[in-house]
Amino acid sequence: MGYRVHVTVNGTPREAEVEARLLLVHFIREVLGLTGTHIGCDTTNCGACTVLLDGRPVKSCTVFAVQADGRDLMTVEGLARDGELHPIQEGFHERHGLQCGFCTPGMMMTAYALLQRTPAPTEEEIRWAIAGNLCRCTGYVNIVEAIRYAAEKLRGAPVTTGRGS
Amino acid sequence: MATQAHGMGHAVKRKEDARFLRGKGTYIDDITLPGMLYLDIVRSPYAHARITAIHTEKALAIPGVLAVIMGRDLDRYGLAWMPTLMSDRQMVLPIDTVLYQAQEVAAVVATDRYTAADGVAAVEVDYEPLPAVVDPRAALRPDAPVLRQDRAQKTNHIWHWEVGDREATDRAFREAEVTVAQDLYIPRIHVSSIETCGCIARWDPVEGKLTLWMTTQAPHAIRTVVALVAGHLGLAEHKIRVIAPDIGGGFGGKVPVYPGYVLAVAASVLTGRPVKWIEDRMENLQADSFARDYHITAELAATKDGRLQALRVKTIADHGAFDAAANPSKFPAGLFSICTGSYDFRTAFAEVDGVYTNKPPGGIAYRCSFRVTEASYTIERMVDILAHELGIDPAEFRLRNFIRLDQFPYRSALGWTYDSGNYEAALRKAMERIGYWDLRREQAERRRRGELMGIGISSFTEIVGAGPSHTFDILGLKMFDSAEIRIHPTGKVVARFGTKSQGQGHETTYAQIIAHELGIPEDDIVVEEGDTDTAPYGLGTYASRSTPTAGAAGAVAARKILDKARKIAAYLLEAREDDLVWERGRFHVKGSPERAKTIQEIAFAAYTNHPPGLEAGLEAVAYYDPPNLTFPFGSYICVVDIDKGTGEVKIRRFVAVDDCGNIINPMIVEGQIHGGLTMGLAPALYEEITYDEHGNMLGGSFMDYLLPTAVETPRWETDKTVTPSPHHPLGAKGVGESATVGAPAAIANAVIDALWHLGVRHIDIPITPWKVWKVLRERGVTE
Ligand code: FES
Ligand code: FES
């Protein structure tokens, strides 16, 4: 017991006292009460727990909460602004990029980070970017399309319908 | 935007997305109750061992650890064993012997999950290891140790089941011009939904009520089972509420009752506080029900010119330590008897023997209806082998042997009546779409250059919509499903179903069915499922049964409402009922379209101005007992290239033509097919659970249990034909698992097709680079 952790979560400063061994994902879900970040494997394989730490995607099941001290955290709850869905969220909806929705927050956070550094990714780049995020429902094709949709929308390009080649 | 009723055939965007996209879904682990405790489980490191002592003192000394529950504690209440869905019994916690690695041995209840884990680490168990039986064929030898000492029968053989005409089949084989035989192993695999299993049990001693939030695909059936098992403790059905909240994928793995659920209930009763249990991934992979694990010997008899005559299949099914398969009671091998597939056989015979081994209990049908994947894989591999042996193109061979359009409804040699089908159309469409004959030419050219390219076909028939009450039940519960539709005065609807979505999009699909029938916009319809206190009784969602059964119930309930609405409309319009014309959403008087009442106006009148003598309100319930199952089908063609250096199989193209009858939401159907294909790709090339000779699971995490990622998964190409089911109220058939059933054989067939000229006749799935590389090396193709 007894480590004070200060983080900025989706723009809001938060602090709490935590055990040294508390995982960031449990800190987010149980201390901060933000349950959009999910746990699927606890071994850094599935990506369901992906969040952005100082803008970089991390798997929060293998980061300690104390390691996030003083840093900036963004979770799925921070994607929508003023009630408006982020283009990534819109893309997942429009292109049917989710089914059970369990992998979706992690998938979208990875996509968010990808589009920050690569605004016009190729299909190959999208597929490699989300290779650390497992989905058992969708078969990935529509997730790739969802991210492509978001990329186009974020670049202000007209969003094409249907699938590119 | 004005709301509109889209109904069937529209790619309506999913209603459920709204919460999932914002991280506002409510999965089990998202629920926290005041005073909630946490339960964690001590598991056996041995696959077979006697427990000589369990030491709990150190665990109980940890601040925050409240209790350690052991088998003998449960035994006092008659709860150390529970019945399985297949009338076997399964240990909740063992009293003396463990039968598989990672079996639950004790449960620790603590104030939070970290403390509970500390408690688990501090429990010391003394084991005396016993020899493990891993291979089901070895388990049948007379000298094998008998694993289930609790049973009267001192054998590892569970049951023998057979179907078909043995004598006629044997005769057909004796007289056949050509026969082929092949051993096929379909390995043990795991559904691995990204959300693991878990629950929260809350026992309320004041009300005498148990509320159980759990990851279940069949909440009502579970509630009944709990009531039947624990009735002697006062847990009666009306005092049990099972709630399945949002579920992060099920695929069959969330049908069974796992000991963890029972332990959470016991812990809540013991402590008087809510108790949460959530599996981690290793527990999920090591101890939850597996799928498949069929050792098959299949044979085909045919004429020289390639006419199929007879099929004979002998199978040994590894059921692990307890027969906890999720199957209709009357079919111990599930729907394996659909193994005649899409072909017109004169005669067939199939037999399966279930066997106990020191492995986790099961099995479940991984995104398939009760072993139809095993059946489909068998027939589609065999047909390919025979075609290759005879030197007939596999597509040509299939076209020659398909059940013809004019034979439907078709009664198969093993007794199923296929409702409708047009197999030739589906295969021809797939061939055209992929450019089949061009690919064959390309393959010949590449082969000349020493390259390895293969084309594989799978023309499967699924069997879904379990099922008609005359033959289908689980523990005696008939397998109908239900819908309850309530239209409120302002024309808004709450509809509840006996099924439970795990991502299939029921909230949207069911709303579309109601919109289609009643002309009420989807936006005005809320669909609810998964709460036994509110939803009508149903058998749940698995085996692609939601649309075939509950979807049908939705249509039937809507039609009952329409009958009453017509009476009200007649009253309001002062017309005769049979003078009214229904145009989706309103009735008008024949010949005067302006004299009309909308369904919303009728709904209002149902509560404000209903005809004298007629009950108020506008609602209906339907329990739909399907007259038959539905038989969706499809033809898949897969093209692979094999890297000679590494043995790696690359899928170049995969075209899937599916026919699931009339389509309610094409976007959702396509999504189901994409997901299903990926879950068919996985066992074909990657997934397998293996054990060493001591029953140690080799690899119990996603580091070693390989699931396809976006990088391995091809860009699925989908297409369709539409052959409505003649008996389903909407002509729909169900589609959730067709692709998982059909895909493995297409991929395996493509790989073998690439290697056939090298003398390769079969490689068991998963076809790993290592297996292919070894084969290539044996044949001197690679260094
Ligand atoms: S839960 Fe963190 S990667 Fe799976
Ligand atoms: S949508 Fe279910 S795991 Fe991805």
Side-chain angles (χ1 to χ4, degrees):
Chain A
M1 263 289 125
Y3 289 86
R4 249 198 129 68
V5 174
H6 302 252
V7 283
T8 305
V9 185
N10 302 325
T12 308
R14 298 282 298 267
E15 60 170 297
E17 190 161 293
V18 302
E19 266 189 277
R21 63 176 175 171
L22 185 73
L23 295 171
L24 180 59
V25 69
H26 289 139
F27 178 75
I28 294 168
R29 291 176 49 79
E30 290 172 16
V31 180
L32 302 179
L34 298 171
T35 54
T37 302
H38 298 146
I39 302 173
C41 73
D42 352 75
T43 49
T44 329
N45 293 95
C46 78
C49 65
T50 307
V51 296
L52 303 186
L53 202 51
D54 290 340
R56 305 247 304 265
V58 298
K59 292 181 174 175
S60 59
C61 68
T62 18
V63 175
F64 290 116
V66 289
Q67 290 175 284
D69 186 33
R71 299 170 74 178
D72 186 81
L73 189 64
M74 180 175 170
T75 68
V76 64
E77 288 89 349
L79 272 179
R81 292 282 153 84
D82 307 323
E84 287 288 302
L85 290 185
H86 186 277
I88 290 176
Q89 293 169 305
E90 204 182 298
F92 273 74
H93 182 58
E94 289 295 322
R95 293 292 182 260
H96 190 29
L98 69 156
Q99 289 182 24
C100 77
F102 200 78
C103 71
T104 312
M107 212 48 105
M108 293 194 300
M109 297 318 286
T110 302
Y112 184 92
L114 167 74
L115 298 182
Q116 297 282 308
R117 39 169 218 278
T118 315
T122 62
E123 170 164 355
E124 178 117 4
E125 285 171 318
I126 295 175
R127 284 178 179 261
W128 278 102
I130 59 169
N133 292 72
L134 297 173
C135 175
R136 285 296 264 173
C137 301
T138 63
Y140 300 112
V141 175
N142 286 349
I143 294 178
V144 171
E145 291 311 317
I147 297 172
R148 196 204 296 274
Y149 173 103
E152 289 174 7
K153 180 122 194 219
L154 283 165
R155 293 202 309 274
V159 177
T160 53
T161 51
R163 306 223 157 82
S165 56
Chain B
M1 196 174 66
T3 49
Q4 189 192 336
H6 295 91
M8 293 216 357
H10 292 270
V12 175
K13 299 275 157 45
R14 296 202 327 167
K15 289 160 155 298
E16 40 272 85
D17 288 359
R19 60 182 185 276
F20 297 145
L21 289 168
R22 292 169 191 262
K24 299 291 184 204
T26 306
Y27 303 92
I28 286 284
D29 201 18
D30 301 341
I31 299 168
T32 303
L33 301 179
M36 190 173 78
L37 301 172
Y38 198 88
L39 180 134
D40 203 350
I41 293 174
V42 180
R43 292 174 184 275
S44 168
Y46 296 103
H48 195 194
R50 211 180 324 280
I51 297 171
T52 51
I54 301 178
H55 308 282
T56 60
E57 310 75 27
K58 285 186 193 159
L60 288 168
I62 297 171
V65 171
L66 273 69
V68 179
I69 302 173
M70 290 175 286
R72 58 168 189 269
D73 303 322
L74 295 181
D75 199 36
R76 254 181 272 147
Y77 304 100
L79 287 176
W81 291 77
M82 61 181 181
T84 71
L85 297 177
M86 281 306 281
S87 310
D88 194 357
R89 31 190 249 128
Q90 176 177 354
M91 288 179 213
V92 177
L93 289 177
I95 298 162
D96 46 32
T97 309
V98 292
L99 288 174
Y100 56 93
Q101 190 180 51
Q103 186 177 344
E104 299 76 0
V105 169
V108 174
V109 188
T111 44
D112 67 279
R113 69 178 85 213
Y114 284 62
T115 310
D118 289 343
V120 164
V123 172
E124 290 164 349
V125 185
D126 298 337
Y127 297 97
E128 205 178 90
L130 297 168
V133 183
V134 179
D135 186 322
R137 292 160 300 186
L140 290 178
R141 290 193 201 120
D143 60 339
V146 175
L147 303 180
R148 290 289 301 279
Q149 292 295 339
D150 60 298
R151 292 197 346 145
Q153 303 93 309
K154 295 299 172 215
T155 164
N156 295 323
H157 184 256
I158 314 175
W159 41 255
H160 172 84
W161 168 85
E162 57 180 58
V163 58
D165 188 336
R166 185 197 289 263
E167 223 171 280
T169 306
D170 289 349
R171 196 175 332 114
F173 271 89
R174 278 196 305 274
E175 292 165 2
E177 292 175 355
V178 190
T179 63
V180 287
Q182 181 65 49
D183 289 337
L184 310 162
Y185 177 51
I186 306 181
R188 180 170 285 238
I189 55 174
H190 195 279
V191 298
S192 294
S193 50
I194 300 298
E195 180 201 38
T196 58
C197 292
C199 72
I200 299 169
R202 184 179 67 193
W203 166 248
D204 174 349
V206 177
E207 303 278 343
K209 181 154 183 169
L210 173 73
T211 307
L212 191 55
W213 289 261
M214 70 188 283
T215 47
T216 179
Q217 300 177 222
H220 283 96
I222 295 295
R223 181 185 58 170
T224 302
V225 171
V226 174
L228 291 173
V229 176
H232 64 290
L233 301 175
L235 278 179
E237 196 160 8
H238 63 306
K239 297 282 190 154
I240 303 168
R241 179 181 187 186
V242 176
I243 302 173
D246 288 328
I247 299 209
F251 316 116
K254 289 170 179 165
V255 176
V257 176
Y258 297 117
Y261 298 130
V262 181
L263 289 168
V265 173
S268 181
V269 173
L270 182 77
T271 60
R273 290 165 67 173
V275 176
K276 179 188 272 189
W277 165 68
I278 305 285
E279 261 175 354
D280 68 24
R281 178 57 58 188
M282 286 177 217
E283 297 177 292
N284 170 265
L285 279 169
Q286 291 176 347
D288 282 9
S289 273
F290 64 89
R292 322 283 192 252
D293 219 341
Y294 262 34
H295 299 259
I296 298 167
T297 302
E299 298 169 90
L300 288 179
T303 60
K304 278 198 297 258
D305 62 348
R307 300 270 159 200
L308 286 168
Q309 309 265 292
L311 166 74
R312 191 160 57 190
V313 186
K314 194 171 170 50
T315 292
I316 294 188
D318 186 342
H319 277 242
F322 309 102
D323 187 15
N327 274 336
S329 312
K330 295 195 180 63
F331 307 102
L335 305 183
F336 188 65
S337 49
I338 185 89
C339 60
T340 52
S342 312
Y343 309 99
D344 190 14
F345 280 98
R346 283 209 333 249
T347 177
F349 178 72
E351 58 187 323
V352 185
D353 287 281
V355 180
Y356 291 124
T357 58
N358 287 119
K359 295 190 196 131
I364 47 109
Y366 170 157
R367 203 166 187 168
C368 90
S369 51
F370 316 119
R371 315 210 175 271
V372 59
T373 311
E374 289 90 325
S376 257
Y377 176 79
T378 303
I379 185 64
E380 288 306 300
R381 274 299 295 129
M382 291 310 292
V383 159
D384 241 54
I385 289 172
L386 180 58
H388 275 101
E389 288 284 351
L390 293 172
I392 301 172
D393 181 87
E396 201 55 59
F397 184 90
R398 284 177 169 81
L399 291 168
R400 237 177 254 187
N401 286 288
F402 278 149
I403 300 160
R404 292 183 326 269
L405 191 56
D406 61 11
Q407 287 175 283
F408 289 96
Y410 171 85
R411 194 172 156 83
S412 80
L414 294 178
W416 298 105
T417 302
Y418 295 17
D419 58 349
S420 63
N422 189 353
Y423 303 146
E424 179 178 341
L427 179 54
R428 289 208 188 276
K429 191 155 195 180
M431 290 169 71
E432 198 174 302
R433 172 89 191 245
I434 208 159
Y436 184 76
W437 296 113
D438 286 344
L439 285 167
R440 283 287 177 208
R441 277 189 286 278
E442 180 192 335
Q443 183 188 32
E445 252 163 60
R446 282 184 188 267
R447 198 165 282 172
R448 274 194 292 279
R449 295 203 297 266
E451 293 171 28
L452 301 175
M453 166 190 169
I455 306 160
I457 304 175
S458 167
S459 291
F460 64 93
T461 292
E462 249 273 58
I463 174 168
V464 306
S469 65
H470 48 84
T471 35
F472 280 75
D473 71 273
I474 283 186
L475 287 178
L477 300 171
K478 305 291 189 189
M479 295 182 75
F480 54 81
D481 228 294
S482 60
E484 175 201 273
I485 302 173
R486 292 185 175 183
I487 307 185
H488 300 299
T490 55
K492 312 293 179 189
V493 178
V494 174
R496 298 184 170 119
F497 291 78
T499 47
K500 175 64 209 173
S501 175
Q502 312 118 44
Q504 295 92 335
H506 289 180
E507 286 167 50
T508 307
T509 301
Y510 290 156
Q512 278 180 266
I513 291 174
I514 296 167
H516 184 79
E517 295 291 332
L518 296 178
I520 295 172
E522 279 87 350
D523 281 352
D524 291 352
I525 301 166
V526 165
V527 169
E528 295 178 0
E529 295 178 296
D531 183 338
T532 56
D533 264 12
T534 55
Y537 202 99
L539 267 280
T541 293
Y542 44 86
S544 274
R545 64 188 302 281
S546 296
T547 294
T549 56
V556 172
R559 288 170 196 178
K560 288 187 189 176
I561 285 177
L562 215 50
D563 286 344
K564 184 166 179 185
R566 180 182 289 271
K567 290 191 172 54
I568 299 170
Y571 172 72
L572 297 175
L573 293 165
E574 294 172 1
R576 284 198 1 235
E577 274 180 57
D578 47 13
D579 272 342
L580 295 184
V581 180
W582 171 248
E583 27 168 345
R584 185 161 302 159
R586 67 203 281 269
F587 283 103
H588 72 252
V589 179
K590 216 178 277 172
S592 40
E594 70 299 334
R595 279 184 62 207
K597 287 288 169 195
T598 66
I599 186 79
Q600 288 81 3
E601 288 167 326
I602 295 165
F604 201 71
Y607 297 87
T608 56
N609 179 25
H610 57 283
L614 197 69
E615 262 181 77
L618 199 55
E619 55 190 65
V621 188
Y623 287 83
Y624 182 78
D625 184 1
N628 185 11
L629 291 106
T630 61
F631 294 75
F633 58 91
S635 270
Y636 296 168
I637 306 183
C638 172
V639 185
V640 301
D641 297 296
I642 297 178
D643 185 318
K644 281 201 294 186
T646 61
E648 195 194 351
V649 173
K650 268 225 108 43
I651 295 181
R652 192 201 305 175
R653 284 188 70 194
F654 195 110
V655 165
V657 174
D658 272 275
D659 193 320
C660 58
N662 290 336
I663 288 174
I664 297 160
N665 184 322
M667 177 192 82
I668 288 178
V669 164
E670 190 197 41
Q672 290 287 303
I673 291 167
H674 284 181
L677 288 170
T678 310
M679 283 197 143
L681 159 70
L685 298 184
Y686 308 106
E687 283 176 308
E688 178 175 19
I689 292 181
T690 49
Y691 295 85
D692 71 10
E693 74 272 24
H694 305 296
N696 295 311
M697 186 177 175
L698 303 175
S701 75
F702 282 163
M703 312 242 195
D704 352 66
Y705 190 69
L706 298 182
L707 304 180
T709 74
V711 172
E712 292 84 33
T713 305
R715 174 173 278 278
W716 307 115
E717 300 171 56
T718 56
D719 212 328
K720 64 170 187 295
T721 57
V722 176
T723 311
S725 169
H727 63 76
H728 187 275
L730 300 165
K733 288 192 169 190
V735 76
E737 58 207 14
S738 284
T740 312
V741 169
I747 297 168
N749 285 345
V751 175
I752 305 304
D753 184 61
L755 304 173
W756 186 273
H757 64 291
L758 302 172
V760 179
R761 188 160 134 154
H762 178 69
I763 300 174
D764 277 326
I765 53 171
I767 303 178
T768 58
W770 164 243
K771 283 187 194 167
V772 177
W773 184 83
K774 245 183 1 186
V775 161
L776 292 174
R777 197 179 148 90
E778 278 159 22
R779 286 165 176 73
V781 176
T782 195
E783 293 302 289

